[in-house]
């Protein structure tokens, strides 16, 4: 038996019950309050520890089947003992913890309380892949490329896969702080799912904090007990939003039409005519409706006085209007300059709840900027030069042949820029990969679009496996051995090996130097 085999054999297998405890950060009771099978000694010791304020527990909701869940039926679970006993008869659960729960109909087990405003803490960010025609190897490499942790858990479902990022530090939800932590967690989850969708078909409409498949003996295909650093995800999310915001900029040149007026859009006119909007609906209440309409006015450049007159009429037409002080506070906040435009998800939620659904949000979220036409500027911005190079690379390369090569002088001529500019653009770029083979006059520079190279890497991997389509479970060495025991190379390692492989297969001499 080899060293690696010995390490595997000595490694403790983690049960689904332990995985659930890890996912929920010990936020449930360990034992049942009534009918526990634990010894009196253990129960007594636990009850003493239970009085510590830091160990205040919550509940999770579970359901025996998808049909029961669709009908709102399930159970409120307060302890890990119950989860362990019932897990094989359950299909779904909420890995994020709620403050409490009850039943609309106790006899028929119609559960109540699994609403966002009742969340106690967010332990995990979940995602759903609703197909098995996918190579989940791309998920791991995608996480590496994005600079985010890999998922901690992958489950196989009847139709696809579900994955979870277990947060090292949960988002604790406080009503007194107006659910700020919940809003931050939602933004992180939205950004995470949007970014992952470029690599695998993640369902971005799936609620990241809702019901998911429960871990069982037969559906866990990957588990890693190193939680995702919450601070790292927050920093990444801010950077991702900044990049998305820049990408959403619409450049308006002199002489062109000004920014479109959102106040004449279909969604705005439909929402402002709604009179039955009520309070008490998280992110879709009358406060949110007024704020969204006010933001649309601000983003469209309307004076505060004009917005005040129109929205005051809107508020007066409501069946339960806001008080004047609250109305003015919301309007002032919208015009504070902190917000750049109406958020699509909020608009769509308001339209879905308070209108007939015929109006849709159209256009792109984002801000606008003005700049001179490029031909009128002496120097083009580096990001524009980067776009020029990427456009050329996408035109002359493919996943089958991802690299464009030649001397630096030739490449600079091809991209219509000075050699010094080319070097600086590539140095700054995160989307262009450069490799130099050889030295001096004989050096060959190879450049590739990171996205094209990524697709090329996945194609090469498909050639190395026996079947064109391979489920993730088939990669397992044996039953009940988690994939985390396998060597999953990082993106950098895989790209380096792949580039060397390309060079050797093309008949080139072994490189004397490989420079990143």
């Amino acid at each position: 038996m080899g060293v690696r085999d010995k390490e595997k054999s000595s490694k403790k297998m983690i049960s689904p019950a332990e995985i659930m405890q890890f996912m929920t950060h010990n936020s449930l009771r360990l034992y049942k309050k009534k009918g526990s099978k634990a010894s009196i000694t253990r129960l007594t010791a636990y009850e003493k520890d239970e009085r510590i304020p830091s160990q205040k527990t919550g509940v999770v909701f579970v359901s025996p089947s998808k049909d029961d869940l669709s009908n709102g039926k399930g159970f409120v679970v307060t302890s890990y003992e119950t989860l362990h006993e019932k897990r094989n008869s359950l299909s779904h659960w909420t890995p994020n913890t709620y403050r409490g729960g009850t039943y609309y109909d106790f006899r028929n087990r119609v559960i109540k309380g699994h609403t966002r405003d009742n969340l106690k803490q967010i332990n995990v960010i979940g995602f759903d892949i609703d197909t098995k025609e996918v190579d989940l190897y791309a998920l791991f490499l995608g996480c590496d490329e994005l600079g985010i942790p890999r998922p901690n858990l992958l489950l196989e479902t009847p139709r696809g896969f579900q994955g979870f990022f277990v947060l090292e530090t949960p988002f604790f939800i406080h009503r007194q702080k107006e659910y700020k932590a919940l809003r931050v967690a939602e933004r992180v989850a939205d950004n995470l799912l949007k970014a992952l969708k470029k690599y695998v078909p993640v369902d971005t409409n799936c609620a990241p904090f809702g019901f998911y498949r429960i871990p069982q003996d037969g559906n866990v295909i990957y588990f890693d007990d190193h939680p995702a650093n919450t601070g790292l995800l927050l920093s990444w999310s801010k950077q991702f939003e900044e990049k998305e915001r820049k990408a959403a900029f619409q450049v308006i040149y002199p002489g062109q039409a000004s920014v479109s007026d959102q106040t004449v859009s279909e969604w705005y006119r439909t929402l402002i005519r709604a009179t039955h909007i009520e309070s008490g609906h998280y992110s879709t209440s009358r406060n949110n409706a007024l704020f969204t309409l006010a933001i649309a006015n601000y983003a469209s450049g309307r004076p505060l006085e004009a917005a005040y007159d129109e929205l005051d009429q809107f508020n007066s037409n409501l069946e339960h209007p806001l008080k004047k002080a609250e109305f003015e506070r919301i309007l002032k906040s919208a015009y504070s300059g902190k917000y750049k435009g109406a958020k699509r998800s909020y608009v769509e939620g308001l339209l879905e709840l308070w209108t007939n659904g015929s109006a849709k949000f159209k256009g792109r979220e984002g801000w606008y900027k003005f700049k001179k036409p490029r031909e009128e500027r002496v120097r083009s911005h580096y990001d524009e030069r980067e776009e020029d190079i990427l456009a050329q690379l996408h035109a002359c390369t493919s996943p089958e042949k991802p690299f464009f090569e030649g001397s630096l002088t030739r490449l600079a001529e091809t991209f219509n820029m000075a050699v010094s500019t080319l070097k600086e653009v590539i140095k700054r770029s995160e989307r262009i990969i450069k490799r130099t083979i050889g030295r001096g006059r004989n050096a060959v520079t190879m450049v590739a679009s990171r996205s094209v190279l990524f697709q090329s890497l996945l194609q090469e991997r498909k050639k190395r496996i026996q079947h064109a389509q391979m489920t993730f479970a088939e990669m397992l060495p044996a039953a009940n051995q988690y994939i985390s025991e396998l060597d999953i190379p990082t993106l950098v390692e895989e790209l380096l090996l792949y580039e060397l492989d390309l060079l050797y297969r093309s008949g080139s001499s072994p490189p004397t130097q490989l420079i990143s």
Side-chain angles (χ1 to χ4, degrees), residues 236-497:
W236 172 86
S237 181
K238 291 177 182 178
Q239 294 172 5
F240 178 81
E241 283 190 359
E242 181 65 19
K243 292 178 182 178
E244 290 287 299
R245 183 182 67 82
K246 288 181 179 179
F249 271 179
Q250 179 175 336
V251 181
I252 305 297
Y253 295 106
Q256 288 185 340
S258 61
V259 179
S260 61
D261 188 350
Q262 293 185 8
T263 63
V264 298
S265 64
E266 182 186 12
W267 72 260
Y268 181 93
R269 304 318 307 176
T270 300
L271 186 60
I272 204 169
R273 289 194 295 268
T275 60
H276 57 291
I277 304 176
E278 301 173 352
S279 61
H281 297 267
Y282 176 77
S283 80
T284 53
S285 67
R286 60 185 178 181
N287 296 59
N288 297 98
L290 176 62
F291 185 73
T292 299
L293 293 170
I295 282 290
N297 276 270
Y298 173 74
S300 300
R302 295 188 75 188
L304 176 60
E305 295 76 13
Y308 188 104
D309 291 341
E310 183 171 67
L311 297 179
D312 183 42
Q313 186 63 46
F314 159 75
N315 185 50
S316 300
N317 290 336
L318 291 175
E319 295 174 2
H320 303 285
L322 289 162
K323 294 181 180 179
K324 183 180 178 181
E326 181 70 6
F327 168 81
E328 292 180 344
R329 185 188 67 80
I330 293 173
L331 202 61
K332 181 180 179 181
S333 178
Y335 270 75
S336 65
K338 298 179 181 178
Y339 309 96
K340 297 181 174 62
K343 188 173 177 61
R344 174 189 289 271
S345 59
Y346 284 1
V347 173
E348 290 177 343
L350 289 163
L351 292 174
E352 181 180 355
L353 187 59
W354 303 116
T355 72
N356 60 13
S358 60
K360 304 295 181 184
F361 183 96
K362 294 181 180 179
R364 301 174 65 184
E365 289 183 306
W367 208 227
Y368 297 81
K369 62 178 178 181
F370 294 84
K371 104 167 75 161
K372 292 180 181 179
R374 185 171 179 178
E375 60 271 13
E376 294 182 12
R377 283 179 274 127
V378 177
R379 286 177 172 270
S380 296
H381 293 300
Y382 280 106
D383 57 350
E384 292 176 335
R385 291 294 196 183
E386 181 188 44
E387 293 297 337
D388 290 343
I389 296 175
L390 288 170
Q392 186 76 14
L393 289 176
H394 281 283
C396 63
T397 63
S398 66
E400 290 74 26
K401 189 179 179 182
F403 287 101
F404 187 76
E405 62 182 70
S407 65
L408 270 176
T409 303
R410 181 192 165 207
L411 292 176
E413 291 175 353
T414 302
F415 299 135
N416 193 26
M417 62 186 70
V419 172
S420 59
T421 303
L422 175 61
K423 288 181 177 179
E424 186 63 25
V425 172
I426 293 177
K427 179 181 177 181
R428 296 187 182 195
S429 177
E430 296 180 353
R431 296 187 289 168
I432 301 172
I433 290 179
K434 177 179 80 76
R435 296 290 182 264
T436 301
I437 308 299
R439 298 179 179 179
R441 294 182 179 180
N442 296 323
V444 176
T445 300
M446 306 172 66
V447 291
S449 162
R450 195 177 184 93
S451 61
V452 173
L453 190 57
F454 186 86
Q455 294 299 321
S456 180
L457 176 60
L458 292 181
Q459 283 195 13
E460 283 297 309
R461 179 173 179 270
K462 287 182 180 180
K463 293 177 183 178
R464 297 200 298 263
I465 61 178
Q466 294 180 349
H467 304 288
Q469 294 296 332
M470 177 179 179
T471 65
F472 207 50
E474 288 175 319
M475 295 176 61
L476 295 174
N480 296 324
Q481 284 185 303
Y482 297 127
I483 195 95
S484 57
E485 296 176 352
L486 298 178
D487 289 324
I488 303 176
T490 65
L491 178 63
V492 174
E493 293 170 341
E494 193 74 4
L495 285 176
L496 183 60
L497 291 173

Side-chain angles (χ1 to χ4, degrees), residues 77-287:
V77 174
T78 61
S79 71
Y80 292 109
E81 184 180 7
T82 301
L83 275 181
H84 177 69
E85 290 178 354
K86 304 290 185 182
R87 72 182 189 281
N88 291 327
S89 61
L90 301 173
S91 66
H92 293 76
W93 76 315
T94 58
N96 293 300
T97 316
Y98 291 81
R99 298 182 182 281
T102 182
Y103 299 88
Y104 286 108
D105 183 344
F106 182 80
R107 184 174 182 179
N108 293 310
R109 297 294 180 180
V110 180
I111 50 180
K112 177 182 179 181
H114 47 94
T115 54
R116 295 155 78 191
D117 58 354
N118 190 40
L119 276 164
K120 175 182 179 289
Q121 63 190 65
I122 293 173
N123 308 304
V124 305
I125 296 175
F127 60 91
D128 188 37
I129 299 175
D130 202 18
T131 176
K132 291 193 176 181
E133 297 299 315
V134 61
D135 185 356
L136 289 182
Y137 190 73
L139 173 63
F140 288 92
L141 295 189
C143 290
D144 291 350
E145 183 174 9
L146 290 169
I148 59 177
R150 293 174 171 184
N152 293 95
L153 176 67
L154 286 179
L155 304 180
E156 188 168 16
T157 69
R159 296 176 57 184
F161 303 91
Q162 288 182 349
F164 306 88
F165 295 90
V166 180
L167 302 173
E168 185 175 43
T169 304
F171 287 97
F172 294 97
I173 314 302
H174 301 284
R175 298 175 182 174
Q176 297 85 352
K177 296 183 179 181
E178 298 181 345
Y179 302 98
K180 181 179 179 180
L182 178 57
R183 294 196 299 272
V184 172
E186 286 178 328
R187 290 177 68 176
V188 173
D190 287 345
N191 293 332
L192 201 58
L193 269 57
K194 187 186 297 183
L196 289 176
K197 193 173 179 65
K198 297 178 182 178
Y199 304 95
V200 288
V202 173
D203 182 5
T204 53
N205 294 319
C206 178
F209 311 135
F211 278 88
Y212 282 91
R213 292 279 172 175
I214 196 165
Q216 294 176 332
D217 294 324
N219 67 356
V220 177
I221 58 174
Y222 172 87
F223 177 68
D224 179 10
D225 62 358
H226 295 89
N229 186 288
T230 310
L232 186 152
L233 284 178
L234 282 169
S235 299
W236 172 86
S237 181
K238 291 177 182 178
Q239 294 172 5
F240 178 81
E241 283 190 359
E242 181 65 19
K243 292 178 182 178
E244 290 287 299
R245 183 182 67 82
K246 288 181 179 179
F249 271 179
Q250 179 175 336
V251 181
I252 305 297
Y253 295 106
Q256 288 185 340
S258 61
V259 179
S260 61
D261 188 350
Q262 293 185 8
T263 63
V264 298
S265 64
E266 182 186 12
W267 72 260
Y268 181 93
R269 304 318 307 176
T270 300
L271 186 60
I272 204 169
R273 289 194 295 268
T275 60
H276 57 291
I277 304 176
E278 301 173 352
S279 61
H281 297 267
Y282 176 77
S283 80
T284 53
S285 67
R286 60 185 178 181
N287 296 59

